[in-house]
Amino acid sequence: MTITARTPHFTLKSHLVAACATAALLLAASAAQAADLNALIWCDHSDPALLQPFEEANNVKVNVKEFEGTGAGLAIVDQSQPGDWDVMVIDSIDVPRGVEKGLFEPLPEDKLPFADLFPEVKMDKSTVVNGKRYGITEKFGYNTIGFNKTKVDPADMQSLASLTSDKYKGKIAIYDYYLPVIGMAALAIGKKTADLTEADLPALKAELLKMKANAKLVGEVTASQTALATGEVDILVGGGEWVTAGLAKENPALDFSIPKEGAVLWSQSLAMFKDSKNKDMALKFIQYILSPEGQARLATSSCYWGMPSNKKAALTDDQKKILRFDEQPGFLARAQAYPAPNADLDKKMQDMWTEMLQAQ
């Protein structure tokens, strides 16, 4: 059984990635610049099944550098020369960070299929800055409940209350990343993720502690989804289609739910560097990724599956079934964005998460 890690929001190792950037990386990026297209990407974009059709159609070589987390990606940019990179994959909510650093080029909306995107994932509040669009959402999904439908009652998975029920005590793993799971705790107590304040922290902590008391383990992304895949646990808090869809052929018992209280929406975007020396090819690459063919290949990448942002993605019926494509309007109606705390609240949330982890 193959277990792959999804990179969105997995920033726990970002400081290590940044620390390991060396002169060798800079030399590699500079050498690659003379070649065709240089892309800072998440692992789902390194799949040859995605890149080869574009390379063959455009007689171009796409040189990719994988990273985990926006901070690590921006650290690579900081240690590179202007023009070393052409395009970048970035959390949609983090597009303004790149704009503030003066990195990105506005995208030509009339040359991209915005009309074909799921409206809920255009993420205009993040991808549009001062009236100009700097990012386009290419893929999305949910931090929610992943589960084994032969071991739990699927009807129970329609409510976040099940996560603190004695019925599933010791059968739960929790994804060890504070923001999405805090978001799920907020939904469980009736709070909106966008409206969280310091005053909500005691109630959030109490809910997290109840989840922790029911959990067999709290683990990083690979460990937690491995626990679900191997049957060590029956429920994964913070999991979603990116866990269960990729394993569906090997273990069709795995599924995910978007409970009545909602789920936490993640989305990733593509941006173009303003200092790119190959902007025409960079735009072609973005157009390809957002095309029906590119969307289908990205959605089913060997690294991790996720929902394509383009409703016209050329997925097979089986792929749509696994991703529950036809149910997306209802899912999106219940989903809420990742919490986006300011620096002070973010630190307090991280401290609260640490206290939860250390609780006996």
Side-chain angles (χ1 to χ4, degrees), residues 2 241-250 304-305 322:
T2 301
E241 76 300 317
W242 50 273
V243 175
T244 62
L247 298 173
K249 290 183 179 179
E250 297 176 5
Y304 64 92
W305 284 39
I322 291 171

Side-chain angles (χ1 to χ4, degrees), residues 90-93 95 107 113-114 117-124 126-127 133-141 265-271 286 289-290 295 298 307-310:
I90 186 169
D91 283 296
S92 297
I93 60 172
V95 170
L107 297 176
F114 284 98
L117 304 190
F118 286 93
E120 298 89 345
V121 300
K122 290 183 179 179
M123 306 293 287
D124 288 352
S126 299
T127 58
R133 188 179 298 277
Y134 291 90
I136 181 168
T137 304
E138 54 167 15
K139 191 172 180 178
F140 70 95
L265 178 72
W266 62 263
S267 69
Q268 59 191 64
S269 287
L270 274 171
I286 295 173
I289 295 294
L290 271 296
Q295 284 283 275
L298 179 66
M307 269 297 298
S309 62
N310 189 333

Side-chain angles (χ1 to χ4, degrees), residues 160-178:
L160 291 171
S162 297
L163 303 180
T164 54
S165 166
D166 289 342
K167 184 176 181 179
Y168 296 112
K169 188 175 182 66
K171 300 179 179 181
I172 295 173
I174 300 175
Y175 173 34
D176 186 6
Y177 183 45
Y178 70 106

Side-chain angles (χ1 to χ4, degrees), residues 47-170:
D47 191 335
L50 173 69
L51 296 179
Q52 284 179 359
F54 176 78
E55 291 177 325
E56 292 171 1
N58 293 278
N59 191 29
V60 68
K61 173 63 178 174
V62 180
N63 305 295
V64 298
K65 172 65 180 176
E66 293 183 23
F67 66 92
E68 294 180 343
T70 298
L74 294 179
I76 293 172
V77 176
D78 287 343
Q79 296 167 34
S80 303
Q81 296 298 313
D84 279 352
W85 304 105
D86 300 301
V87 294
M88 180 179 188
V89 179
I90 186 169
D91 283 296
S92 297
I93 60 172
D94 287 331
V95 170
R97 291 178 63 181
V99 175
E100 289 170 6
K101 292 172 71 70
L103 298 179
F104 299 147
E105 175 88 358
L107 297 176
E109 294 197 41
D110 60 338
K111 296 181 180 179
L112 292 166
F114 284 98
D116 297 334
L117 304 190
F118 286 93
E120 298 89 345
V121 300
K122 290 183 179 179
M123 306 293 287
D124 288 352
K125 291 183 179 179
S126 299
T127 58
V128 177
V129 179
N130 296 327
K132 296 180 179 179
R133 188 179 298 277
Y134 291 90
I136 181 168
T137 304
E138 54 167 15
K139 191 172 180 178
F140 70 95
Y142 311 92
N143 289 99
T144 181
I145 304 174
F147 61 93
N148 186 318
K149 59 189 175 186
T150 66
K151 300 289 186 64
V152 305
D153 185 347
D156 289 342
M157 301 300 100
Q158 301 306 311
S159 175
L160 291 171
S162 297
L163 303 180
T164 54
S165 166
D166 289 342
K167 184 176 181 179
Y168 296 112
K169 188 175 182 66

